[in-house]
Each structure stands twice: as C-alpha cells, then as structure tokens.
Amino acid sequence: MTNTASAQRSTLWIVLALNLALAAGLAVAGVSADSSALTANALDNASDAVVYGISLFAIGRAPIWKQRAAHWSAALLLIFGLGVAADALRRFITGSEPIGLTMMAMAAIAAVVNLVCFFLLRRLKSDDVNLEAAETFSLNDFASNGGVLVAGALVLWLDQRWPDLLVGALVALIAIKGSIDIWRSARRDQAGEQTER
C-alpha cells in the first residue's frame, strides 16, 4: 500500500468513527427532543459512515471500483434524503413537540465534529471521486447543522414546531442534491477515462 493510500485509509477510519459516534448521539437526542431535524442529522451521519466504509473498500483499487463505490454512495444518499423527507411529512401529519434547547446544543456539537471531518478530508488533497464525495458529505452535514441551530433557536423563541419540520425537509433536499452531484462527478470521471482510451 502506498503512503497516499495509507493516509487516505487512516483518515477515512477516523472520519467513519466520528460519524458513527455522532450518529448515535444525534439519534438519542432526536428521539428525546422529538426533533425531525436532529433525527435527519442522525440518519445523515449514519449514511455517511456507510459511505465512508464503501470508500475505504475502494482505496487502492482499479478506477472502475471507485466509480461503482461513488454510485453506491450517491444511491445511499438519495435513499437517505427520501427517508428524511418521509419522516418530516409523518411528523407534520401526526404532530411533534421539538425541544429547541436540545436541538441547539446537539447542532453545535455536530457542527464542530463535521468541520473537523471536512478539514481532515480536505488535507488529503485528492482527486479521487470517493474522497470528493466524502468531502461533499461533511460539508453538507456542516450546513445542515447550521440549519438545525437556527431551527432550534426559532422553536425556542416562537414555541412552534414548523422550524424543525422545515429544516428536516431542507436536510432531505441537501442530501438529494449531494447525491446528484456525486453521481455527476462519477459519470464525469468515467467519461474522462473512456476518452483517454
């Protein structure tokens, strides 16, 4: 294994572990705070951890494996986005009572962790489509955390649930857009290789 592949593998293991721990914490907080946005963040980090596992598998393998891994990543992110949208709709119909303070505290913690993950991945400076996808996930998560922070403040201030539901839906849209971006990047890589042949 080359030094580059070894560095990529080590970084992905760290990022995967951080995302698993964060997903567990957000899941517990999402249930206890009855929050669509926190639950969405938990599922997002869990799906990211799965994708990082796929990316670990692709390191050092032929480009075709990396492209397939990127397509799997895009598919998982799309499934996650649709699942979060369905959960937000369910809460809209059945009702919910989110706790703004818990949302804000967990969003702040998650933002720090996701920013650390983003900079760890960015430090690798790789044009690998799977590492680009991993960076996209971390940046999407950081943006989502900001949304949850704002939603928590609005829930606390207005004593209304709609900010939580809105951010849950927005997290779903961010995930769906991220899925499309990763798929396009993988297709671009594939087209570039075919041109070189």
Side-chain angles (χ1 to χ4, degrees):
M1 187 185 297
T2 66
N3 287 337
T4 300
S6 179
Q8 289 175 351
R9 192 174 292 278
S10 297
T11 299
L12 280 171
W13 273 116
I14 292 168
V15 171
L16 188 153
L18 286 171
N19 273 268
L20 282 175
L22 189 55
L26 287 167
V28 171
V31 171
S32 65
D34 197 15
S35 168
S36 175
L38 283 180
T39 302
N41 269 199
L43 291 172
D44 191 6
N45 283 104
S47 70
D48 290 355
V50 172
V51 169
Y52 296 142
I54 292 171
S55 297
L56 274 165
F57 172 77
I59 289 174
R61 296 183 185 272
I64 186 66
W65 284 100
K66 294 181 179 182
Q67 288 157 11
R68 285 176 182 166
H71 283 122
W72 273 105
S73 298
L76 283 170
L77 197 56
L78 179 62
I79 291 166
F80 152 75
L82 294 174
V84 168
D87 179 66
L89 181 61
R90 177 189 67 79
R91 288 174 190 269
F92 176 75
I93 293 168
T94 62
S96 61
E97 294 182 13
I99 301 170
L101 201 57
T102 304
M103 291 172 64
M104 292 171 67
M106 285 306 298
I109 293 167
V112 171
V113 173
N114 284 315
L115 203 56
V116 167
C117 290
F118 175 75
F119 282 118
L120 283 172
L121 293 164
R122 175 56 66 91
R123 193 177 61 183
L124 293 174
K125 292 186 171 72
S126 172
D127 59 357
D128 185 306
V129 67
N130 289 288
L131 290 174
E132 284 180 16
E135 278 187 38
T136 299
F137 291 146
S138 292
L139 203 54
N140 284 351
D141 290 349
F142 181 72
S144 298
N145 300 146
V148 176
L149 196 59
V150 172
L154 288 173
V155 165
L156 199 60
W157 180 39
L158 301 173
D159 196 24
Q160 298 282 326
R161 67 187 178 122
W162 65 262
D164 177 58
L165 296 174
L166 178 63
V167 169
L170 287 175
V171 169
L173 289 176
I174 289 170
I176 291 167
K177 181 188 178 299
S179 169
I180 293 167
D181 288 345
I182 292 164
W183 183 80
R184 283 177 176 163
S185 181
R187 292 288 293 173
R188 189 174 61 243
D189 273 19
Q190 191 173 6
E193 279 182 23
Q194 289 172 349
T195 303
E196 288 173 6
R197 286 175 187 170

